[in-house]
Amino acid sequence: MSKNYNNCLSQLRKIKNIIQLKGKNSRDREAVYEEMEVLEKPQKIIQVSLPVRMDDGTLKVFEGIRVQHSDIRGPFKGGIRFHPKVNIDEVKSLAFWMTIKSAVVDIPYGGGKGGITVNPKELSQTELERLSRTYIRKMSNDIGPDKDIPAPDVYTNPQTMAWFMDEYSNIKGKNIPGVVTGKPIEIGGSLGRDKATAQGGYFVFENIKKKINLRDKVEVAIHGFGNAGANFAKIASDNGHKVVAISDSKGTVFNKNGLNINELMEYKRQNGSVVGFPNSEKIKWEELLTLKVDLLVPAALEGTITKEIALGVKAKVILELANGPITPEADEIIDKNNILVIPDVLANAGGVVVSYFEWVQNLRSYYWDEEKVRTQLYNKMNKATDVVWRAKEEYKENMRTAAYIAAFLELSKSLKVRGI
Ligand code: NAD
């Protein structure tokens, strides 16, 4: 799906029709009538201006957004991205996906998302800190540990969350770590949060791999080498899989015998990009997406796999670590070509699951060891994968549709008992 909110609405209506037609009992079929319409509109959209003094003394005014899509199942939850292309329509779509995602993995959260229209690469650390603190000041009445809990997303990180948490705590006059997740460990972050999205995606893939009898050790291509992509590369390679190609925003590296991921991570740390990595060939990123591999992992931005690219995709499985990396037109082609897509709302939900664990730890002031986080994540991801797979078999639909069906049935149950 692409980041267009109209696509979210079409998806919602499509699923409603499928459940009404194929729902296994009248309870499920009835569940989706009126209640589902509530999900068509975000509950609240907050737009703020963010005046920030630059290091050279000049003033710049940025735009900040927070979309609170639904809190039917619990507080709004979702990341905040810093990117020049951030806009309301995109943030609405991302917030909608968070509502679905929280329901798919059955955590007591709703969906929200936020962002600032900015190119963070053009700002110094001190400018970024002032921008982050200004955003939280402007949003402070609308967020909170039992209301709306932000987290990192594209080009935001634990440091950004630390500034958010500190500013919010200053405003409220007490320490409130549970207001954001994805924090540094020193101030209440959870062990295992840094690689949670990749680890969760990996658990889902291993589960699916057995269901479809894919060979044990697979060949992987990964588009995006940030938090999600690089951690996935490391986990896959540590588990004996062969990662043959990796892209970042500057280019793509390929080695048919497998890239050494530990060395590549170090190379990227020193050089700022994967490009030029020794023992690798430079290819175009379109070539990476159409390589004949077992597993393709889009882990960069939305809309990467377009119709044109979809026609050439030869992977057996696509694990959507990025949100919405396949456009709707491309999705149809990929589906027709019998390529199994593990949808974003399941594939990358590990991040929000460990965010939930972090929040639980903050509320209780009792901190888990990494093994407990890993085991709990494994349980949650496996259970969600099984639920989605069951819906896939029951409704005879692809995994994306099945994930939405599973989520909508959960959401409509909550809507029904709460009343409107
Ligand atoms: P990040 O900023 O850490 O990394 C993004 C990566 O994508 C970078 O390596 C960048 O170089 C690369 N990239 C950007 N444009 C590219 C292009 N045109 N071609 C190839 N590579 C490009 O971000 P992230 O946290 O890893 O998030 C990536 C995706 O995963 C996003 O869609 C995000 O919404 C999704 N996601 C992330 C998390 C998380 O916990 N980090 C959770 C859920 C979903």
Side-chain angles (χ1 to χ4, degrees):
M1 276 239 294
S2 93
K3 55 191 165 188
N4 178 332
Y5 195 65
N6 278 333
N7 290 329
C8 299
L9 290 180
S10 326
Q11 187 77 2
L12 185 70
R13 288 167 192 155
K14 180 181 140 195
I15 302 302
K16 191 171 159 178
N17 289 337
I18 292 173
I19 299 175
Q20 279 174 351
L21 271 172
K22 303 189 191 170
K24 68 175 187 306
N25 55 45
S26 59
R27 195 185 167 286
D28 283 0
R29 290 194 296 273
E30 278 164 21
V32 293
Y33 281 92
E34 287 180 327
E35 286 82 359
M36 301 296 289
E37 273 167 40
V38 174
L39 298 174
E40 290 196 5
K41 290 192 175 56
Q43 282 176 224
K44 192 168 182 182
I45 298 175
I46 306 144
Q47 229 173 329
V48 288
S49 73
L50 306 168
V52 176
R53 191 68 64 191
M54 296 290 105
D55 291 344
D56 65 4
T58 59
L59 186 78
K60 271 198 185 155
V61 184
F62 300 89
E63 188 191 9
I65 302 170
R66 184 76 182 164
V67 174
Q68 298 177 328
H69 178 261
S70 166
D71 67 351
I72 302 283
R73 300 183 76 254
F76 304 104
K77 181 83 188 96
I80 293 179
R81 60 176 52 185
F82 288 0
H83 197 272
K85 288 189 184 155
V86 162
N87 63 73
I88 291 271
D89 197 59
E90 178 191 69
V91 181
K92 272 167 73 179
S93 313
L94 295 166
F96 170 86
W97 282 325
M98 286 305 299
T99 301
I100 304 300
K101 200 179 290 183
S102 303
V104 169
V105 286
D106 192 20
I107 51 176
Y109 282 150
K113 202 81 180 190
I116 301 180
T117 314
V118 60
N119 183 353
K121 291 180 181 171
E122 288 171 359
L123 268 59
S124 70
Q125 276 295 98
T126 48
E127 289 166 343
L128 279 173
E129 176 172 352
R130 285 196 289 276
L131 177 64
S132 305
R133 288 182 184 277
T134 308
Y135 180 88
I136 285 305
R137 276 200 303 280
K138 296 282 178 102
M139 295 287 174
S140 62
N141 284 331
D142 288 289
I143 61 167
D146 49 5
K147 206 176 199 179
D148 184 351
I149 309 144
D153 195 73
V154 176
Y155 297 132
T156 54
N157 54 35
Q159 178 60 73
T160 326
M161 297 307 115
W163 293 327
F164 283 174
M165 176 269 193
D166 184 67
E167 192 64 28
Y168 185 80
S169 297
N170 287 340
I171 293 167
K172 301 293 172 188
K174 58 183 176 182
N175 205 34
I176 308 183
V179 65
V180 288
T181 58
K183 298 178 293 294
I185 302 293
E186 298 81 354
I187 54 165
S190 176
L191 293 170
R193 174 61 182 87
D194 49 348
K195 47 179 188 283
T197 301
Q199 185 68 67
Y202 184 74
F203 286 146
V204 174
F205 172 68
E206 283 292 323
N207 183 327
I208 296 291
K209 197 184 80 185
K210 290 187 199 109
K211 293 193 195 317
I212 61 169
N213 295 320
L214 206 61
R215 60 179 162 157
D216 190 37
K217 300 297 173 201
V218 299
E219 273 189 11
V220 191
I222 304 172
H223 184 257
F225 201 56
N227 178 292
N231 279 308
F232 189 88
K234 167 106 177 94
I235 295 165
S237 133
D238 286 352
N239 281 281
H241 302 291
K242 198 201 286 181
V243 181
V244 293
I246 291 202
S247 284
D248 64 16
S249 60
K250 303 214 174 84
T252 304
V253 288
F254 172 76
N255 182 334
K256 69 174 171 19
N257 297 318
L259 297 157
N260 182 320
I261 301 303
N262 288 329
E263 286 175 13
L264 184 60
M265 286 172 106
E266 182 54 27
Y267 181 86
K268 167 129 186 168
R269 209 183 53 76
Q270 285 181 16
N271 300 281
S273 168
V274 296
V275 176
F277 181 58
N279 282 327
S280 76
E281 210 180 297
K282 191 171 178 215
I283 59 170
K284 291 187 184 143
W285 61 269
E286 294 94 326
E287 287 179 68
L288 174 145
L289 297 169
T290 52
L291 282 172
K292 193 169 185 301
V293 286
D294 301 291
L295 177 64
L296 172 63
V297 184
L301 296 176
E302 289 84 350
T304 301
I305 303 183
T306 56
K307 194 168 123 192
E308 293 70 31
I309 289 170
L311 291 165
V313 171
K314 294 183 254 331
K316 291 184 182 131
V317 178
I318 301 178
L319 179 79
E320 292 187 326
L321 277 193
N323 283 310
I326 305 178
T327 66
E329 302 78 31
D331 210 26
E332 274 181 32
I333 296 167
I334 286 170
D335 200 33
K336 273 198 194 110
N337 289 344
N338 283 324
I339 295 163
L340 183 82
V341 176
I342 306 175
D344 47 11
V345 289
L346 174 65
N348 69 28
V352 73
V353 170
V354 176
S355 272
Y356 164 58
F357 297 160
E358 178 177 335
W359 178 75
V360 167
Q361 294 171 71
N362 293 156
L363 297 187
R364 300 230 171 238
S365 291
Y366 177 75
Y367 288 86
W368 305 354
D369 62 25
E370 196 158 357
E371 193 44 43
K372 175 158 178 175
V373 173
R374 201 185 130 86
T375 313
Q376 297 286 332
L377 177 64
Y378 176 83
N379 293 341
K380 272 272 176 219
M381 298 313 289
N382 266 312
K383 192 167 165 228
T385 309
D386 290 343
V387 166
V388 171
W389 194 260
R390 251 197 318 278
K392 173 182 163 19
E393 308 226 302
E394 213 171 281
Y395 283 81
K396 309 224 173 325
E397 295 286 346
N398 64 28
M399 271 194 91
R400 189 187 309 285
T401 305
Y404 276 75
I405 291 171
F408 288 154
L409 288 174
E410 276 310 310
L411 282 156
S412 55
K413 274 188 231 160
S414 310
L415 277 158
K416 205 154 195 107
V417 289
R418 283 184 66 151
I420 291 164

